[in-house]
């Protein structure tokens, strides 16, 4: 087969989603670079594929990328890249390899297939004409709140991945920040116990609280973008605060400036502090 690096998407749960092309490529390449060789071995065994593998993950990607590129460029081999599930590079290793391969003039061939974020979006019932994928939300509470507060004026549908350990606290935060917006929580997509909830964050939170099993698994979290009316209200509230912050920051540190503007406008002190830090650093 053609000497190249093949970026191969694999099932996110249901083995029937493995395309014939993906099966052929994985059986014909000389080497498979896998995020977890043990996990991928089960996939390969299911389809009777015995191609050799090498471990390729976030901790050794820079080290292994040059070697894999050399196999293609100098030895004329074909190498496949797979992640544990879905499409490589999407919150998974592979970007460094592909970027360096392109720079080195090595052919990169995509073999498309499942991606959890697209699977969730197309079944969510939320607007799909404009959306952005943000990967995993920050693990620390303060950073997670700041990340979600940035959605105050975001008109696009936003997609995140979230862990079983944080899904409930994230929904609580969404219920606080955006009580009127629709949210979709997609769990265990394409697997036996797949569930999708689309409602307000508080409504979904109550559903999950009544069934602890629904709090476990792999989650895709989708948040509806701001409406035109909501955006106009936010801008009317934000502009005076922005002006006040900029003026106060000439004489006060961010924390004190945020406290004063919070007292005057009623806007959350933490949100204003984050905004002040951005203004100060720009």
């Amino acid at each position: 087969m053609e000497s190249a690096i093949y970026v191969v998407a694999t099932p996110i749960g249901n083995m029937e989603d493995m395309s014939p092309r993906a099966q052929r490529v994985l059986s014909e390449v000389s080497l498979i670079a896998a995020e977890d060789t043990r996990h991928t071995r089960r996939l390969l065994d299911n389809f009777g594929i015995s191609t050799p593998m090498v471990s390729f993950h976030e901790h050794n990607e820079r080290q292994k990328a040059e070697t894999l590129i050399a196999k293609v460029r100098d030895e004329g081999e074909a190498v496949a890249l797979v992640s544990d599930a879905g499409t490589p590079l999407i919150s998974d290793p592979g970007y460094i390899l592909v970027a360096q391969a392109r720079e080195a003039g090595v052919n990169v061939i995509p073999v498309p297939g499942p991606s959890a974020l697209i699977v969730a979006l197309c079944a969510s019932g939320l607007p799909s004409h404009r959306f952005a994928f943000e990967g995993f939300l920050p693990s620390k509470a303060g950073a997670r709140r700041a990340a979600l507060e940035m959605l105050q004026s975001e008109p696009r549908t936003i997609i995140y991945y979230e862990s079983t350990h944080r899904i409930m606290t994230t929904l609580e935060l969404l219920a606080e920040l955006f009580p009127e917006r629709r949210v979709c929580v997609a769990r265990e997509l394409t697997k036996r116990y797949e569930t999708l909830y689309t409602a307000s964050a508080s409504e979904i939170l109550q559903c999950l609280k009544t069934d602890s099993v629904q709090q476990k698994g792999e989650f895709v979290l989708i948040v509806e973008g701001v409406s035109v009316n909501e955006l106009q209200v936010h801008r009317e509230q934000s502009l005076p605060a922005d002006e006040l912050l900029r003026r106060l920051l000439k004489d006060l540190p961010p924390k004190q400036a945020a406290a004063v503007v919070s007292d005057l406008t009623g806007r959350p002190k933490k949100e204003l502090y984050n905004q002040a830090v951005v203004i100060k650093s720009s």
Side-chain angles (χ1 to χ4, degrees):
M1 64 188 308
E2 182 178 354
S3 176
I5 291 175
Y6 293 80
V7 181
V8 183
T10 57
I12 59 177
N14 193 320
M15 289 293 181
E16 293 181 6
D17 293 332
M18 184 76 163
S19 74
R21 184 184 177 199
Q23 294 179 50
R24 178 183 59 79
V25 168
L26 293 182
S27 66
E28 293 182 0
V29 294
S30 55
L31 184 68
I32 297 172
E35 184 178 5
D36 184 333
T37 55
R38 294 167 299 179
H39 181 92
T40 301
R41 173 51 59 201
R42 292 193 291 272
L43 173 72
L44 299 183
D45 288 346
N46 187 78
F47 294 100
I49 298 171
S50 57
T51 305
M53 287 187 290
V54 62
S55 176
F56 185 84
H57 48 72
E58 60 179 331
H59 302 297
N60 71 2
E61 182 172 1
R62 290 187 181 277
Q63 173 191 346
K64 293 286 184 70
E66 186 176 342
T67 301
L68 295 174
I69 290 170
K71 284 184 176 295
V72 178
R73 180 189 58 206
D74 303 332
E75 301 175 28
E77 295 189 11
V79 174
L81 171 68
V82 300
S83 58
D84 286 349
T87 302
L89 280 76
I90 309 301
S91 284
D92 279 325
Y95 167 72
I96 293 172
L97 172 63
V98 170
Q100 291 185 2
R102 301 285 294 181
E103 289 176 4
V106 169
N107 198 13
V108 178
I109 299 176
V111 181
S115 177
L117 71 98
I118 299 299
V119 173
L121 178 63
C122 71
S124 68
L126 297 181
S128 58
H129 59 289
R130 294 184 65 206
F131 64 91
F133 174 60
E134 294 290 332
F136 283 92
L137 280 162
S139 58
K140 294 185 178 179
R144 188 161 63 250
R145 173 181 280 273
L148 291 175
E149 285 176 344
M150 292 176 64
L151 302 185
Q152 293 282 1
S153 57
E154 176 56 71
R156 297 171 297 176
T157 298
I158 304 296
I159 307 172
Y160 299 99
Y161 288 160
E162 188 55 286
S163 75
T164 185
H165 307 293
R166 294 190 295 269
I167 187 63
M168 297 300 282
T169 55
T170 298
L171 283 170
E172 289 171 356
L173 189 54
L174 283 170
E176 173 194 337
L177 295 173
F178 310 112
E180 303 301 323
R181 289 199 206 173
R182 291 180 297 164
V183 172
C184 176
V185 171
R187 169 184 169 273
E188 295 291 270
L189 288 168
T190 78
K191 300 176 184 177
R192 181 178 180 182
Y193 297 108
E194 170 185 283
T195 53
L196 287 96
Y197 297 94
T198 299
S200 68
S202 59
E203 289 172 325
I204 297 175
L205 194 59
Q206 291 305 312
C207 289
L208 269 59
K209 282 181 178 178
T210 61
D211 186 353
S212 60
V213 173
Q214 296 298 314
Q215 301 173 27
K216 300 176 182 179
E218 298 177 338
F219 293 89
V220 179
L221 178 66
I222 307 178
V223 183
E224 185 177 32
V226 63
S227 67
V228 174
N229 290 338
E230 185 183 354
L231 182 59
Q232 182 60 36
V233 170
H234 178 68
R235 284 175 174 167
E236 290 172 355
Q237 293 174 341
S238 297
L239 286 175
D242 291 347
E243 294 171 3
L244 284 170
L245 269 180
R246 291 182 186 279
R247 291 172 185 172
L248 290 173
L249 285 170
K250 294 178 180 178
D251 303 304
L252 297 174
K255 187 174 182 179
Q256 292 182 14
V260 172
V261 177
S262 178
D263 288 340
L264 293 173
T265 65
R267 287 180 57 190
K269 189 183 300 183
K270 181 65 175 179
E271 176 187 328
L272 290 165
Y273 172 76
N274 291 336
Q275 189 175 346
V277 170
V278 172
I279 293 172
K280 197 76 174 178
S281 63
S282 62

